[in-house]
Amino acid sequence: NNAGRYSRGSNNMAVGWGALQGVNSVTDTVYNTVVGTSALYSLRHGDYNMSMGGQAAYYATNADCNVFLGYTAAYNLLSGSSNVFIGYQAGFNETDVDNKLIIANTSDDNLITGDFITKEVNISGSLYVEDDIITSGSLDVSGSFSLNVTTAATAYTASADDSFIHC
């Protein structure tokens, strides 16, 4: 089935035709878990990756500490470390990135993106919170919003045009 065909190293697991194949070169990889036809197909140097889904991270030649879940997730990635791509074609067009989060269901429709270094998360669309939002810093809102503040003594509804301090 060609899984791990040219791979050398230890503690790797490859399931699926061409998974962790290493395209005509000797690879030195350890602790990779790869499931799916041609997943991490081109990997030559990389450790501690988890790739599940057909052709996930297909072109990655140098990758460490990544999680790729979904058919063709990170498909065009050449090099990257510490990324988490979840969903069908999540991060499909990324080529050289580190420390990124992408949750998507197509190559051009990211629902959630993030950066593990800057600790920023972006949500494309609306965010609904069932319980509390607690912040120790500022809360920046771009676009319209509504805010309902309720305490034992008062209730207040604010809009984007209001400024207030509530104690």
Side-chain angles (χ1 to χ4, degrees):
N1 75 9
N2 286 339
R5 181 176 180 188
Y6 297 105
S7 180
R8 72 171 186 191
S10 61
N11 300 301
N12 292 306
M13 185 199 68
V15 177
W17 190 92
L20 197 62
Q21 184 166 332
V23 183
N24 298 324
S25 67
V26 177
T27 63
D28 189 12
T29 62
V30 297
Y31 295 105
N32 294 290
T33 303
V34 182
V35 178
T37 300
S38 299
L40 274 172
Y41 179 85
S42 304
L43 189 68
R44 293 188 180 126
H45 304 285
D47 304 325
Y48 309 103
N49 295 294
M50 200 277 292
S51 181
M52 299 184 94
Q55 299 178 359
Y58 182 88
Y59 286 110
T61 58
N62 187 18
D64 293 301
C65 306
N66 295 291
V67 175
F68 306 121
L69 295 175
Y71 179 76
T72 64
Y75 182 80
N76 287 302
L77 185 74
L78 300 174
S79 178
S81 65
S82 303
N83 296 299
V84 177
F85 295 173
I86 301 172
Y88 172 77
Q89 296 186 336
F92 185 91
N93 294 313
E94 300 296 333
T95 57
D96 186 7
V97 295
D98 298 322
N99 302 296
K100 300 299 181 197
L101 166 68
I102 298 176
I103 299 176
N105 67 355
T106 67
S107 63
D108 59 355
D109 190 18
N110 296 333
L111 176 63
I112 298 172
T113 59
D115 188 304
F116 290 106
I117 298 297
T118 63
K119 308 261 188 260
E120 294 178 346
V121 175
N122 299 299
I123 298 173
S124 299
S126 299
L127 172 65
Y128 297 93
V129 178
E130 180 75 21
D131 229 342
D132 298 332
I133 295 177
I134 300 170
T135 179
S136 60
S138 63
L139 178 63
D140 297 325
V141 178
S142 177
S144 63
F145 75 96
S146 65
L147 175 66
N148 295 314
V149 178
T150 305
T151 65
T154 62
Y156 180 77
T157 300
S159 69
D161 298 328
D162 295 335
S163 297
F164 67 95
I165 298 174
H166 181 76
C167 300

